[in-house]
Amino acid sequence: MALPLSILDLAHIGEGETASDSLAASVTLAQRAEEWGYQRIWYAEHHNMPTIASSATSVLIAHVAAHTRAIRLGAGGIMLPNHSPLTIAEQFGTLATLHPGRIDLGLGRAPGSDQQTMRALRRSPAAADTFPQDVLELQGYLTGESRIPGVDATPGKGTDVPLYILGSSLFGAQLAAMLGLPYAFASHFAPTSLEEAVALYRRDFKPSAQLERPYVIAGVNVIAADTKDKAEEQFLAAKRARVSLFVGRDRKFTPEEADLILESPAGRQIQQMTKYSAVGTPAEVKDYLDRFAEHAGADELIVASPATDRSAWLRSFELLADVRGLIAA
């Protein structure tokens, strides 16, 4: 039986697009994904990034939820050290109250920004140190067993919004195992520790009220197209775009300049970020994902499409759903 298949929507603002265009595209994708049979869609918290429109993550989830009927929606993730646990419990408690049984809450401890933006967020550099305690405090608000006497989340109390620990290192794996929570590994951009982290998580997992057995979600990039050449063309365009984002700080490079940078040490790091990428025809993509799921020891795959062309981006998810048998005949 095929594993559940979900989507990480990066809410990318493409060249020539506005944030409004990006958010409208996210609604369209969610509506189509619901028809195609995807399990869930997650959005990630990023700040001060001109090409990503998901900074107000809970607001985006609310908007998409209001324009869909049944698909699960959530954060992949909320960077908890940027917020008080009570605030996030109230936000996601409100979402769960408005859309019962549809809301997920993935949690990370990275800033989702640079040092200057951290200061603008009023975040202390030491905030990540209390991440485990903050997760437990947040969980208490959502289950109705507050760890802060006399303080409850309203809405939030008793909504039991399911928590997921996100990570790209052994720390997240250890925490998810200790707390008995599902673990989502960001192998779509940080592939290095995937196997070691999943093995550690499964070995040390302790059952909890939320989860009896370990549950691993692994991220992977996908560009599916009608021909392999079209998919490879989109993949190259995506890597060139990352050169502008990570090396040029949004400076525009010619294709020739970007290709030279991709062959440099800095470029090879960008290439490494895309190590786990399924690129090709639908059949080729399916075969890759089947092998990747086994390699990752995954219970669910969450796919992100780095395709820079908006129609190719949407088409990737449609072709994948079709070849994986998600689309009803």
Side-chain angles (χ1 to χ4, degrees):
M1 187 175 72
L3 297 183
L5 199 60
S6 299
I7 293 173
L8 177 64
D9 180 357
L10 299 174
H12 178 69
I13 304 171
E15 188 171 355
E17 289 187 335
T18 64
S20 179
D21 296 329
S22 172
L23 298 177
S26 289
V27 171
T28 298
L29 173 61
Q31 291 171 335
R32 300 282 180 83
E34 188 169 68
E35 296 169 5
W36 295 333
Y38 282 91
Q39 179 89 351
R40 69 184 93 237
I41 301 180
W42 282 357
Y43 309 92
E45 176 187 348
H46 294 88
H47 298 283
N48 194 32
M49 296 189 71
T51 57
I52 295 180
S54 54
S55 54
T57 315
S58 58
V59 179
L60 176 56
I61 293 168
H63 179 65
V64 175
H67 289 81
T68 50
R69 299 181 307 278
I71 193 168
R72 295 193 68 89
L73 301 165
I78 288 291
M79 301 299 108
L80 191 54
N82 291 343
H83 313 274
S84 76
L86 178 60
T87 297
I88 297 304
E90 290 169 341
Q91 290 178 7
F92 280 78
T94 299
L95 289 168
T97 301
L98 292 170
H99 308 284
R102 296 183 57 196
I103 303 301
D104 300 327
L105 178 48
L107 301 168
R109 66 169 182 151
S113 59
D114 54 39
Q115 295 292 321
Q116 190 78 347
T117 307
M118 280 175 60
R119 286 192 283 274
L121 288 166
R122 305 296 191 267
R123 170 180 168 161
S124 162
D129 296 341
T130 60
F131 181 64
Q133 293 86 351
D134 289 345
V135 172
L136 289 171
E137 183 182 336
L138 171 59
Q139 186 179 53
Y141 292 133
L142 294 171
T143 59
E145 299 176 1
S146 176
R147 291 171 174 259
I148 308 298
V151 178
D152 287 312
T154 306
K157 180 178 180 179
T159 55
D160 294 308
V161 176
L163 302 183
Y164 297 75
I165 299 297
L166 276 55
S168 57
S169 68
L170 302 187
F171 176 87
Q174 291 169 329
L175 182 63
M178 180 179 70
L179 299 182
L181 295 175
Y183 181 51
F185 192 89
S187 34
H188 63 291
F189 78 91
T192 307
S193 301
L194 172 63
E195 294 170 89
E196 189 179 2
V198 171
L200 186 155
Y201 168 70
R202 291 194 179 280
R203 185 194 72 204
D204 294 347
F205 180 84
K206 294 179 173 59
S208 68
Q210 180 178 324
L211 194 64
E212 291 183 3
R213 293 180 296 276
Y215 192 86
V216 173
I217 302 176
V220 58
N221 299 294
V222 166
I223 297 182
D226 295 302
T227 68
K228 185 175 181 63
D229 286 346
K230 286 182 179 178
E232 292 287 358
E233 182 181 318
Q234 283 296 317
F235 191 41
L236 178 57
K239 288 189 283 190
R240 287 170 174 168
R242 290 192 180 194
V243 168
S244 293
L245 180 62
F246 293 110
V247 178
R249 296 183 181 274
D250 293 315
R251 172 192 159 193
K252 301 299 180 187
F253 293 101
T254 66
E256 293 77 15
E257 289 172 333
D259 291 345
L260 283 173
I261 292 171
L262 284 170
E263 295 304 316
S264 72
R268 285 194 288 274
Q269 187 174 358
I270 292 173
Q271 302 266 29
Q272 174 66 13
M273 290 172 66
T274 60
K275 175 181 177 180
Y276 294 124
S277 297
V279 179
T281 64
E284 290 170 328
V285 165
K286 178 186 180 300
D287 288 345
Y288 181 96
L289 292 182
D290 289 343
R291 294 194 306 273
F292 172 75
E294 184 174 354
H295 169 75
D299 299 292
E300 179 179 331
L301 298 181
I302 188 162
V303 299
S305 178
T308 56
D309 178 80
R310 186 61 76 184
S311 59
W313 173 78
L314 195 62
R315 181 68 170 153
S316 281
F317 296 118
E318 181 180 16
L319 290 172
L320 176 55
D322 194 9
V323 77
R324 290 273 294 190
L326 298 180
I327 299 177

